[in-house]
Amino acid sequence: MILAALTKDQIQEIANSGEIKEYSKGFAVYSQDEEASAFYIIMEGIVALMTGSYEIKKLVKGDWFGEEALYEDTKRRYTAKCIGTNVSNEGIFSFGL
């Protein structure tokens, strides 16, 4: 996991700077070529990274996405869409940067 090398205090600081958001199945968390402004960790559900209608990768609980936001002046390379199976909403931890 991306946070494995951090101390408990560092993880707590990150947790305090983010928020949990829920997205409905079919909702695009962000679209390709948008300005990248947040980093996400999936707490529940399934998210697909897509280019057009082509699915590049499925992400599940514990996975992260949106790492483009960690760099200045970048745009999203993919669309991130909630596609959860048997899950009505996705719980995603969002870090605005």
Side-chain angles (χ1 to χ4, degrees):
M1 169 107 187
I2 194 168
L3 305 176
L6 301 178
T7 67
K8 287 183 182 181
D9 288 341
Q10 290 170 321
I11 292 171
Q12 187 60 52
E13 186 175 332
I14 290 169
N16 290 340
S17 69
E19 62 182 305
I20 296 175
K21 295 183 176 184
E22 290 189 5
Y23 300 100
S24 298
K25 183 177 178 181
F27 184 82
V29 178
Y30 59 75
S31 297
Q32 187 172 0
D33 295 324
E34 278 183 9
E35 186 69 29
S37 61
F39 171 76
Y40 304 88
I41 297 174
I42 301 171
M43 298 175 66
E44 181 180 342
I46 302 170
V47 172
L49 298 182
M50 306 179 76
T51 298
S53 60
Y54 180 72
E55 184 179 298
I56 304 293
K57 185 175 185 178
K58 283 184 185 168
L59 304 171
V60 296
K61 182 178 180 175
D63 288 336
W64 67 88
F65 62 100
E67 61 274 6
E68 306 95 339
L70 302 175
Y71 307 100
E72 288 189 39
D73 301 321
T74 58
K75 297 198 182 275
R76 299 294 186 188
R77 293 177 288 168
Y78 309 108
T79 295
K81 186 175 182 180
C82 297
I83 61 165
T85 53
N86 301 322
V87 178
S88 60
N89 290 306
E90 274 45 48
I92 299 177
F93 197 75
S94 169
F95 301 96
L97 302 172

